[in-house]
Amino acid sequence: MHLLIVEDDQPLATMLVRDLDALGHQSAIVDNGRDAFARVSNDRFDGIVVDRMLIGNMDGVSVIRWLRDAKIETPIIMLTAYGARDEKIEGLDAGADDYLVKPVDAAELDARFRAILRRPTDSLNTGILRAGDIEINVHKHRLWRSGRPIEIQRMEFKLLTELVRNAGGVMTRPMLIEKVWGYDFEPRAKIVDSYVKRLRDTLHIDGLEDPIETVRGVGYMIRR
């Protein structure tokens, strides 16, 4: 893969490029948002790594928003220093496909990009995800079921997006907690079960089956 590393910590960026090179990737480094936008505008990258904290007037979240507003759909992984929930959520809402907490392991970064790239091509280019009779537009925060538009709350939408992205596969509660809420631990409250119930109510249409399957003792899945 040809990767762009947007990181102002030069030693970290250099080490990351070295480790990615050992895995067979070619990487370029910039340390600020404007240079990142210039490189992406002139070169083709398979993935972009953006640090949450950057020098200059643009932080990583602003860079991601800028890229997405410019209709650049290249997969983006955001790096965070502390793994704070609000930072993760802000980055994902801005358009990042995933996040990693520093220190960064190149092998995990490689694996996460490969996972993103395994998603259907139309979801990467247009933000459209489909499973069964469900269709969602990730970028425009819109949902349809059997062609009918449905209003949905933000956290329910994030939960549905993760389930649809992994349609046909089981998402465990810890996986959903990390992806949707940004926690790296399982809260005492049954937050996943509660939001799945809300999501089921949102998706309910008389005469149609519940599209969410409960895998007892494991988690949930959306049927393809």
Side-chain angles (χ1 to χ4, degrees):
M1 285 186 288
H2 187 203
L3 303 175
L4 178 65
I5 312 298
V6 188
E7 170 62 74
D8 60 3
D9 183 333
Q10 192 63 36
L12 186 151
T14 301
M15 181 178 66
L16 185 57
V17 167
R18 181 199 66 199
D19 292 344
L20 288 168
D21 181 68
L23 294 172
H25 303 302
Q26 178 185 359
S27 305
I29 303 172
V30 295
D31 64 6
N32 65 84
R34 291 188 179 277
D35 287 349
F37 191 76
R39 287 300 301 266
V40 171
S41 299
N42 293 312
D43 297 327
R44 181 188 177 281
F45 293 96
D46 300 303
I48 303 171
V49 180
V50 180
D51 184 23
R52 175 68 173 74
M53 301 298 293
L54 293 170
I55 60 174
N57 297 325
M58 295 179 66
D59 64 6
V61 172
S62 299
V63 172
I64 293 169
R65 286 200 183 103
W66 194 3
L67 293 171
R68 294 310 190 212
D69 288 346
K71 308 303 180 185
I72 293 167
E73 301 298 337
T74 306
I76 298 174
I77 293 179
M78 187 183 74
L79 306 183
T80 65
Y82 305 108
R85 181 195 64 176
D86 290 346
E87 286 189 0
K88 294 175 182 177
I89 291 173
E90 188 179 20
L92 292 170
D93 283 346
D97 296 281
D98 205 344
Y99 59 81
L100 276 174
V101 178
K102 294 181 179 180
V104 183
D105 181 84
E108 182 177 0
L109 183 65
D110 169 65
R112 292 195 181 226
F113 269 127
R114 285 189 281 108
I116 294 168
L117 292 169
R118 282 197 299 270
R119 296 172 187 168
T121 302
D122 62 346
S123 72
L124 292 173
N125 293 335
T126 67
I128 302 297
L129 298 172
R130 298 181 180 88
D133 62 358
I134 294 173
E135 178 177 321
I136 61 179
N137 186 314
V138 177
H139 303 319
K140 294 184 178 180
H141 191 95
R142 298 186 67 186
L143 162 67
W144 298 264
R145 185 169 188 205
S146 290
R148 307 180 197 181
I150 296 175
E151 295 293 325
I152 187 169
Q153 297 298 315
R154 185 175 70 90
M155 294 308 296
E156 293 169 26
F157 186 79
K158 287 171 68 68
L159 175 59
L160 179 62
T161 297
E162 289 305 321
L163 290 169
V164 171
R165 275 181 175 151
N166 295 276
V170 179
M171 295 290 287
T172 67
R173 289 174 178 82
M175 289 167 65
L176 289 168
I177 286 167
E178 179 186 356
K179 290 290 186 181
V180 179
W181 287 273
Y183 301 149
D184 55 4
F185 62 93
E186 187 163 358
R188 291 182 181 177
K190 294 183 177 180
I191 188 170
V192 175
D193 298 342
S194 174
Y195 271 88
V196 166
K197 183 181 184 304
R198 294 187 197 181
L199 182 56
R200 280 177 162 144
D201 291 342
T202 298
L203 295 173
H204 175 76
I205 295 177
D206 287 341
L208 298 181
E209 292 184 2
D210 180 359
I212 303 174
E213 180 177 340
T214 300
V215 182
R216 192 171 299 278
V218 181
Y220 299 95
M221 66 179 288
I222 288 273
R223 303 180 187 92
R224 289 187 182 278

